[in-house]
Structures are given as C-alpha cells and as structure tokens.
Amino acid sequence: MTDPISTHLPVEGDPPPFLLPILEAGAAAPSSHNSQPWLFRVTKAGAIEVHADISRGLPVVDPDDRELVISCGAALQNMRVALRAAGWTDEIEIVADLKGTGHLATLTPGAKHTPTERETALAGAIELRRTVRSRFEPEVPPFPLVERLLESVEEEASWLRVIADVDREELAVLVGAGDRTQMQLKSFRRELAAWMRPNHSKRQDGMPGFTMGFGELMSAIGPVVVRTFDLGKSQAARDEELVLHSPLLLVLGTTRDDPTSWMHAGMALERVLLELAAEGWFASFLNQAVEVGLLRGDLATLVGEPRGFPQIVLRVGRATPGKAPPRRDVDDMLIEE
Ligand SMILES: Cc1cc2nc3c(=O)[nH]c(=O)nc-3n(C[C@H](O)[C@H](O)[C@H](O)COP(=O)(O)O)c2cc1C
C-alpha cells in the first residue's frame, strides 16, 4: 500500500495544507528560554528540513549552541510523531551541519501506514506537554513508565539515568553551585532578562512571567530585578529544595558531545517529555550543572557515566499545568525557496 507523499504535493508554492499541522507540531517543541531557534524548509519532494536559526542563539548560557541543537532535535521529534499519527511512515537523516549551512536534519514522509494507539497518544501529548516550574505533588511515577522512558531514550541513541535517593544531596549541591556561578555573571542575567516577558506581552517568543509563577507586577519588573541583582543565593536555595523533594530526577546524556549527539539528545528529550505528558506527568529543567562546564564532569561521575556527556537534567512529577507560553507563527519559521 504505497502512496508516496509526492502525489499529495502541489508542484510549487506554499507548504501543502496537510503538512501545516506537522510544522505546527515542530513549533510546539520546548526550547531554551523559548527561543524557538529552528527554521523549516519544505522541499519539492515533500520532505521537511530542520535548520538551526543561529540568530536565536544564547551566547552566554549556550556558547556552543548545544542547547540550540537539542531544541531543534525536540522539534524534529514532534514532527516525526505528528507525521506518524497522521498516517505516514517516516525516515530521518541527521545532517548536523551546524557550523556550515545550518542544515541539521531531514524528515522524509514515506508510505501511508495505520498509526498505532501509542503513536496517536504521543501525538496527542504534543499540546499537553509543557514545562512546569512549580513544586510537584509527592506521587512517584510508576516503574513501568520509567522503564518505557529508559527504552525510548535508548532508541534515540542516548542514555537516561535515574538519580538514586542517596545521590540527591550531591545533585542538589551541583545544581546550587551552578545557580550561584551563573547568576553572579552580569552577562548571564542580562541574557536571561532579555527573554523574560510581562504576562500580557504580545511577543511570540520568550518566557512570560506566568510560566515562572509571577503575577502581573512581578512579571513586569522581573526582567529589571534579574538584570540588576545577583539572586544566585536564593535561586540556589530554591533549586536545592526542588532537587531534594522531586518525585523523580533524571539525567539524559550521550556518549559523544557533538551536533549529531545533540540532535539525538533533543529527540530523546522530547520522547521522554511526550511519554510523560501522555500519562499526565510533567517535567522541569535543572540544567545548571551541565551548562557550567566545570560541574559537568562531576555530574557525569555522579550518574556513573564518567566518560559520557550529560545533556539535560529533569525533575518529574504531577502538577496542574498553567497556560502554555506563546509560539511564533509557522510562516515565520519557514525558509522560502
Ligand atoms: C535544551 C533546553 C534547555 C532548557 N533549559 C531550561 C532551564 O535551564 N530552566 C528552565 O526553567 N527551563 C528550561 N527549558 C525549558 C524552556 O524554557 C521551555 O521549553 C520554553 O520556555 C517553552 O515552554 P514550554 O516547554 O512550556 O513549551 C529548557 C528547554 C530546552 C529544550
């Protein structure tokens, strides 16, 4: 039953309407500071290329564009999940030409297929998933779900480690040290503040105050406060608390540390987040000990991967999710011919 996607394509012009929901799924992916650092190009054959939008990089917190590429990997995963749920098989080629053309990957739709229940559930989770920064309820994710996360990540050429209770304190120390190191840097605070938005901002990127639990006033003055004062001590105390009391803590990593591995890490990350969201679980990021180079080796050792590369630290739990932060229109993410 082959029904090549090319038979559904106009010869030229805008992306065909049936690809729009796939591109929108890509746009819904998480990204550091909600920078949405991706561009999409629809080829004449109906493939979707993912490109890095370097102009949306975060030079202070992410000088190598590692998190930028991870975000693009997450967008690619969302598009693959949406494509499969829409009834197409897929083929993915990782290009990872970060320093050259910026072309990171190509997603090519294949033959028609009947989506499985799991594929449909994962696609449904794309709009349910969001970063929840509040404290989670104490309920711990069941073991079969954690097992599924471990298997999913392996399929994406990455590894996932669960932080044991005895290691929580050490992780808390690393995260707290990361907070203090980052926040004492004026350039870090300036960059973070530049992506913080008042709650009623019309901007379609960045982080509105409500995603950090801020009311009207705090969302308006938050960027000034962050830019001006070193809040590292209080931030560290808050994050250490979160580490000590999170129902589940995960570290996702790779065996190498290059753009290809970062794309895989992004795909693995989004798989984890979608598997969780499909079952009503949410996650939040605690990446400080990865972002601060001097702490990354200690984190690798803590999770038993001294020669590996931690990429993302997540805490997981149940919560009531708030409103989703905005996204730019897909039109603004397209590379036109
Ligand atoms: C690679 C990556 C790194 C991130 N790092 C952090 C982080 O250190 N702290 C944090 O609170 N959120 C972090 N986030 C979450 C983003 O801020 C979030 O995805 C974005 O604001 C969009 O919100 P959403 O996930 O609810 O759609 C990260 C996301 C990605 C993909």
Side-chain angles (χ1 to χ4, degrees):
M1 190 178 58
T2 43
D3 183 8
I5 202 147
S6 52
T7 60
H8 296 254
L9 290 170
V11 177
E12 55 187 33
D14 291 338
F18 79 95
L19 274 188
L20 276 181
I22 311 297
L23 296 165
E24 274 161 9
S31 58
S32 16
H33 293 5
N34 197 19
S35 53
Q36 306 164 43
W38 43 67
L39 289 168
F40 306 134
R41 179 171 167 268
V42 178
T43 70
K44 290 220 165 64
I48 300 173
E49 292 180 0
V50 179
H51 291 248
D53 185 348
I54 302 293
S55 70
R56 296 183 155 269
L58 305 169
V60 181
V61 71
D62 187 31
D64 300 323
D65 293 321
R66 184 184 58 83
E67 290 191 352
L68 182 150
V69 175
I70 291 177
S71 304
C72 291
L76 176 66
Q77 181 68 281
N78 266 8
M79 291 196 284
R80 166 207 256 175
V81 166
L83 191 70
R84 293 193 71 87
W88 303 91
T89 57
D90 73 282
E91 204 173 286
I92 283 180
E93 185 198 358
I94 303 289
V95 181
D97 188 17
L98 176 65
K99 294 285 173 234
T101 58
H103 183 188
L104 296 180
T106 303
L107 171 68
T108 307
K112 285 287 248 179
H113 88 135
T114 306
T116 62
E117 253 178 57
R118 189 87 226 123
E119 285 172 337
T120 306
L122 286 185
I126 290 174
E127 63 172 0
L128 302 176
R129 181 216 61 81
R130 69 200 47 158
T131 305
V132 175
R133 296 188 178 83
S134 57
R135 197 166 161 165
F136 294 131
E137 292 164 23
E139 187 185 349
V140 178
F143 184 65
L145 175 59
V146 178
E147 250 186 340
R148 188 156 356 110
L149 301 182
L150 296 170
E151 285 164 14
S152 311
V153 165
E154 240 173 68
E155 282 172 24
E156 305 296 351
S158 304
W159 50 258
L160 189 69
R161 300 289 170 259
V162 175
I163 295 287
D165 281 346
V166 289
D167 292 330
R168 268 170 193 266
E169 221 155 290
E170 201 171 330
L171 179 64
V173 169
L174 290 175
V175 170
D179 276 327
R180 283 188 294 272
T181 307
Q182 289 182 321
M183 285 299 220
Q184 73 190 10
L185 272 181
K186 224 179 184 155
S187 54
F188 173 87
R189 303 202 309 266
R190 227 182 270 136
E191 183 178 84
L192 175 60
W195 291 91
M196 292 170 70
R197 310 273 184 255
N199 283 349
H200 284 104
S201 168
K202 296 266 184 292
R203 300 279 297 267
Q204 292 182 308
D205 58 10
M207 297 171 290
F210 61 75
T211 65
M212 288 166 265
F214 294 166
E216 243 2 84
L217 176 66
M218 192 53 201
S219 83
I221 62 171
V224 182
V225 174
V226 165
R227 205 180 300 125
T228 315
F229 303 106
D230 173 2
L231 303 173
K233 242 172 140 182
S234 56
Q235 184 70 40
R238 182 180 178 274
D239 286 341
E240 283 163 10
E241 255 291 292
L242 286 172
V243 171
L244 295 177
H245 296 105
S246 290
L248 177 70
L249 291 158
L250 300 172
V251 179
L252 188 154
T254 48
T255 50
R256 298 184 20 190
D257 200 32
D258 53 25
T260 300
S261 311
W262 303 336
M263 281 302 284
H264 285 298
M267 293 185 72
L269 165 68
E270 190 60 0
R271 244 325 257 293
V272 166
L273 298 177
L274 293 181
E275 294 281 357
L276 289 169
E279 307 285 335
W281 296 88
F282 293 94
S284 202
F285 295 73
L286 289 163
N287 295 329
Q288 297 84 333
V290 183
E291 292 162 351
V292 176
L294 283 174
L295 302 171
R296 199 175 179 196
D298 290 345
L299 179 61
T301 303
L302 179 68
V303 296
E305 293 285 346
R307 295 156 68 98
F309 297 90
Q311 303 289 353
I312 295 285
V313 181
L314 294 174
R315 62 186 179 93
V316 174
R318 289 252 196 238
T320 311
K323 216 165 67 167
R327 291 295 188 277
R328 290 176 300 139
D329 297 333
V330 163
D331 277 356
D332 294 339
M333 300 173 177
L334 289 180
I335 301 176
E336 305 289 351
E337 289 296 302

